[in-house]
Structures are given as C-alpha cells and as structure tokens.
Amino acid sequence: TPKADRLSDLCANAEILILRAAVDPPPACRKALVLTSADFRRGGAAEVFASRRGWRLVWSQDVRGRRPWSVNGSDE
C-alpha cells in the first residue's frame, strides 16, 4: 500500500492509476481514474476507452451474462 504522499505523487502524474492495494484515493487523485483491487473483484476485467468526457469503462461482469461458472454466492 503506498503511503499518502507517494499516492498523491502517483496521481499527480497519471491519467489512470491501477493499484493492487485497497485504498481510498486522496483529494490529489480527483483528476485521475483510480482503480483498486476492489473494483476488479466487483467488475472483473475492464476495457478502457477514451471519450470526450474522460475515460469510459466496460466491465466484463456486466456483459458476460449469467453462466453456471459465473454465478456468485448471492445469485444462488
């Protein structure tokens, strides 16, 4: 997990920041798209597209449909 000052430096120099750690991004990260391990657990893989309004994400979990191998415990 990066320390707050290191995380702020990373965000200041990035448009997209992907972190394996579960962190709450500081205010310095407002302009960056920050994705953490929690985002990937929830959404699966992500396709990232540039748009006029910033970055657009398409998560695999949302488009893969309901399959026997993709059902989580809450869908049973």
Side-chain angles (χ1 to χ4, degrees), residues 10-58:
L10 290 169
C11 287
N13 296 305
E15 291 184 45
I16 300 173
L17 184 61
I18 297 174
L19 300 168
R20 290 180 13 183
V23 297
D24 289 322
C29 294
R30 266 191 310 261
K31 294 183 181 178
L33 171 61
V34 180
L35 302 171
T36 66
S37 58
D39 296 312
F40 290 100
R41 271 194 306 279
R42 198 172 35 254
E47 289 183 80
V48 182
F49 300 93
S51 72
R52 290 185 181 136
R53 290 183 268 160
W55 299 104
R56 182 174 63 90
L57 298 173
V58 176

Side-chain angles (χ1 to χ4, degrees), residues 51-67:
S51 72
R52 290 185 181 136
R53 290 183 268 160
W55 299 104
R56 182 174 63 90
L57 298 173
V58 176
W59 293 98
S60 64
Q61 183 68 20
D62 296 335
V63 296
R64 73 178 173 182
R66 187 180 169 113
R67 306 282 191 268

